[in-house]
Amino acid sequence: MIDLYAWRTTNGLRATIALAECDLPHRVIPVDVGAGTQKSPDYLKINPAGQIPAMVDPDGPGGKPLVLAQSGAIVVYACQKARRYIPENAADQALALQWSWQAGTDIGGTSAAMNQVEVVSPIKVPEHVDLFRKRFARYFRIVENHLATRDYLANTLSYADFILYPNYALRRSLLDPAEFPALSAWAHRMGQRPGVIEGMRLHTDAGRQS
C-alpha cells in the first residue's frame, strides 16, 4: 500500500490523479499546507524540503522501500510502475516529456506566482496580477493550438495530461471556453475519467464542504 501525502494544490492533485488512474493500491494522507502541517517534525522526516506531495512505497524498485518527492517524479513513477500511460513510440514519448515540463515549469510556475501576488502577498498590486494572468493565458494558448489537432498532449493519453490537468481545473475561470475550445474539450474528456474524478477529491470534496 502506497502512502501519498498531498493537499488540494495543483502539485498534490497531479499525484493523486496519477495513482488513481494507475489503479495502484494507495491511501491519500491530507497534509494541510495552510495550517503548516508540511513543516511538522513527523512530515519533515518524510520530505525534508517541507513540501507536498511526497510518496512512500514500501514495495519500490527491487522490493525495497522508496520515498519520493516532487509531483512530476511521483506521476512518472506511478505510470512506470503500473506500465500505463507511457507512450509506446519515441516521438510520442518525447512529446509527453516536453508537455510535462511545460505544465510543471512554465504553466505551474506562473500559477504559483499568481497565487503569491493574488493571495500571499500582503500588498496586492493589480499590475502584477494582470501580468501573471496574461502570461498564464498565453501559455494555455500554446496548449490550445497543440490540442487543436489531437485529443491528448502526446496523441494518446499520457502522464503529461495528468500533470497539466490540475493547472486547468483550478483556474478554469480564467480560460473562456469560447476562446479555448480544444482545451475545453480536452478538459471535458479528462474530467469524465473515473481516475481523474477520484484523484480530484481533495479539491472537489473541499468545494462541497465550503
Side-chain angles (χ1 to χ4, degrees):
M1 176 71 71
I2 293 173
D3 283 343
L4 178 65
Y5 298 83
W7 193 236
R8 50 180 179 263
T9 64
T10 53
N11 287 344
L13 294 170
R14 291 171 184 162
T16 55
I17 287 172
L19 286 173
E21 279 283 346
C22 288
D23 200 26
L24 293 172
H26 69 282
R27 60 178 178 176
V28 177
I29 301 170
V31 178
D32 187 345
V33 298
T37 308
Q38 78 280 13
K39 303 297 184 182
S40 68
D42 286 343
Y43 185 72
L44 289 174
K45 293 177 183 177
I46 298 168
N47 184 5
Q51 297 174 326
I52 59 94
M55 180 203 76
V56 180
D57 184 359
D59 185 25
K64 297 179 180 179
L66 175 70
V67 180
L68 193 63
Q70 292 295 326
S71 59
I74 293 171
V75 170
V76 175
Y77 173 81
C79 292
Q80 289 177 333
K81 178 166 184 163
R83 297 183 180 180
R84 298 183 183 181
Y85 310 119
I86 304 292
E88 294 183 1
N89 67 71
D92 288 351
Q93 288 175 14
L95 277 178
L97 188 60
Q98 173 193 321
W99 286 101
S100 63
W101 277 96
Q102 177 90 357
T105 57
D106 293 346
I107 294 174
T110 300
S111 180
M114 289 166 63
N115 183 66
Q116 291 294 313
V117 299
E118 293 178 354
V119 179
V120 178
S121 176
I123 301 176
K124 311 300 187 288
V125 182
E127 292 81 3
H128 293 173
V129 173
D130 185 59
L131 170 68
F132 287 110
R133 287 192 172 193
K134 286 180 178 177
R135 181 179 296 176
F136 187 77
R138 177 167 63 85
Y139 284 138
F140 266 106
R141 175 60 62 188
I142 298 171
V143 179
E144 167 69 22
N145 292 338
H146 181 69
L147 288 173
T149 57
R150 69 204 78 211
D151 288 340
Y152 298 101
L153 293 172
N155 294 314
T156 59
L157 182 67
S158 74
Y159 63 85
D161 299 288
F162 303 151
I163 291 175
L164 178 64
Y165 181 75
N167 287 113
Y168 170 88
L170 270 60
R171 293 191 180 274
R172 68 178 70 221
S173 63
L174 300 179
L175 302 165
D176 185 349
E179 296 183 23
F180 298 89
L183 176 66
S184 297
W186 167 84
H188 179 75
R189 286 190 292 274
M190 294 293 294
Q192 296 298 306
R193 296 184 60 82
V196 173
I197 294 171
E198 178 62 29
M200 289 292 292
R201 286 195 184 280
L202 277 177
H203 172 66
T204 54
D205 287 355
R208 285 193 288 267
Q209 293 168 7
S210 61

